[in-house]
Amino acid sequence: MIFFRHIIDASVKCLAELGCPSIYSRRRAVRAPLTFATVFLSFLLVGCGAARPAKYYQLTVPKEAAADPPGDPLPVTILMGPIMSSHLYREDRIVYSSSGEDMGTYEYQRWAEPPTEMIQDVLLRTLRSSGRYRAVYAQRSSTRGDFLLRGHLYDFKEVSGSPMSARLSLELELRDTKTGTAVWTHFYNHDESVSGKDVSAVVTALNRNVQRATNEFSASLNQYFSAHPPASPPSPPQ
């Protein structure tokens, strides 16, 4: 009990040094009950200062998506399923690593959304805006689709070194919803060079990497459907 009383006395004195002398004088006159909550609050107030604001980043959709040649869309509906990954990429913190196995996250530099969700949204919007397919929806919608597109994110991080790079490792899979068979897979792995030493430069490189991967996935899907054209639905009777 005496130990905690000394802690509170020291904490209140520190508050006085921070500009709260009335608190210190009042502490001398009235002794509050000694509880763990009081001790914790004292330390919290002493350590409280101007909080450093967090900075948030987001990914962008490739501009090439709107430059596809016009034509009749393929008679297929694609459902964009989830992108699985470790918990590191299902949270909003930006991940960094060295050349070894150790990894960490930045405290005040964060994504606007978890990387798995942002990449899923970029892919969905890119395929939808391409005009190549009858429709593209998120799997959580009630719409039934002909194909399910889903993936696994292995890496999405800063890699220290000389030079520093932004690594993206992502695999996508397309399944026929009628048969449940995987008809197409594509693995992307690329280290994008970082032009700078701060986190914003890493984010810019990761964004370029995602755009590069999205264009590559889109082109590979287009090649698959060109080689395996889906059958058009039968025309209604006259």
Side-chain angles (χ1 to χ4, degrees):
M1 184 69 71
I2 296 176
F3 173 75
F4 289 117
R5 190 180 300 279
H6 286 310
I7 291 178
I8 292 179
D9 286 337
S11 301
V12 176
K13 187 174 181 180
C14 288
L15 287 174
E17 293 175 354
L18 290 174
C20 303
S22 60
I23 297 178
Y24 182 62
S25 60
R26 193 182 306 117
R27 176 65 187 85
R28 290 295 187 183
V30 180
R31 296 262 179 190
L34 293 175
T35 64
F36 285 104
T38 305
V39 176
F40 176 77
L41 180 60
S42 298
F43 277 113
L44 183 63
L45 289 174
V46 171
C48 181
R52 180 180 176 183
K55 191 171 184 179
Y56 293 89
Y57 304 89
Q58 63 182 8
L59 300 176
T60 58
V61 178
K63 295 180 180 179
E64 290 83 351
D68 291 331
D72 294 333
L74 296 171
V76 296
T77 296
I78 296 179
L79 299 181
M80 185 69 224
I83 294 179
M84 307 303 293
S85 188
S86 70
H87 72 92
L88 282 177
Y89 303 123
R90 288 184 279 112
E91 299 177 357
D92 64 353
R93 297 190 180 186
I94 297 176
V95 179
Y96 63 85
S97 70
S98 65
S99 56
E101 300 298 327
D102 57 311
M103 300 170 66
T105 59
Y106 288 103
E107 178 66 27
Y108 300 104
Q109 308 281 346
R110 304 194 176 197
W111 296 110
E113 297 177 90
T116 52
E117 297 180 15
M118 288 192 301
I119 294 175
Q120 179 186 14
D121 183 63
V122 169
L123 289 167
L124 185 148
R125 292 169 60 188
T126 300
L127 295 177
R128 179 181 291 171
S129 63
S130 69
R132 293 172 178 167
Y133 311 101
R134 179 174 55 200
V136 181
Y137 299 105
Q139 187 185 15
R140 59 181 175 269
S141 66
S142 58
T143 305
R144 299 181 62 182
D146 303 297
F147 295 93
L148 172 63
L149 182 64
R150 60 186 183 182
H152 192 104
L153 179 63
Y154 298 98
D155 292 298
F156 189 65
K157 62 184 180 180
E158 166 195 319
V159 180
S160 62
S162 182
M164 189 162 57
S165 60
R167 178 171 298 168
L168 172 60
S169 298
L170 175 63
E171 185 174 23
L172 293 186
E173 175 189 81
L174 187 71
R175 283 186 174 269
D176 188 319
T177 57
K178 293 181 180 179
T179 63
T181 304
V183 296
W184 171 90
T185 58
H186 191 91
F187 180 73
Y188 177 90
N189 182 40
H190 176 67
D191 285 357
E192 184 76 12
S193 60
V194 177
S195 301
K197 297 183 179 180
D198 56 359
V199 179
S200 61
V202 174
V203 169
T204 299
L206 284 170
N207 189 52
R208 287 198 310 268
N209 215 349
V210 171
Q211 293 194 17
R212 185 177 184 271
T214 302
N215 288 327
E216 185 174 308
F217 285 129
S218 182
S220 182
L221 273 175
N222 191 39
Q223 291 176 359
Y224 167 76
F225 283 114
S226 295
H228 306 83
S232 300
S235 302
Q238 299 292 332

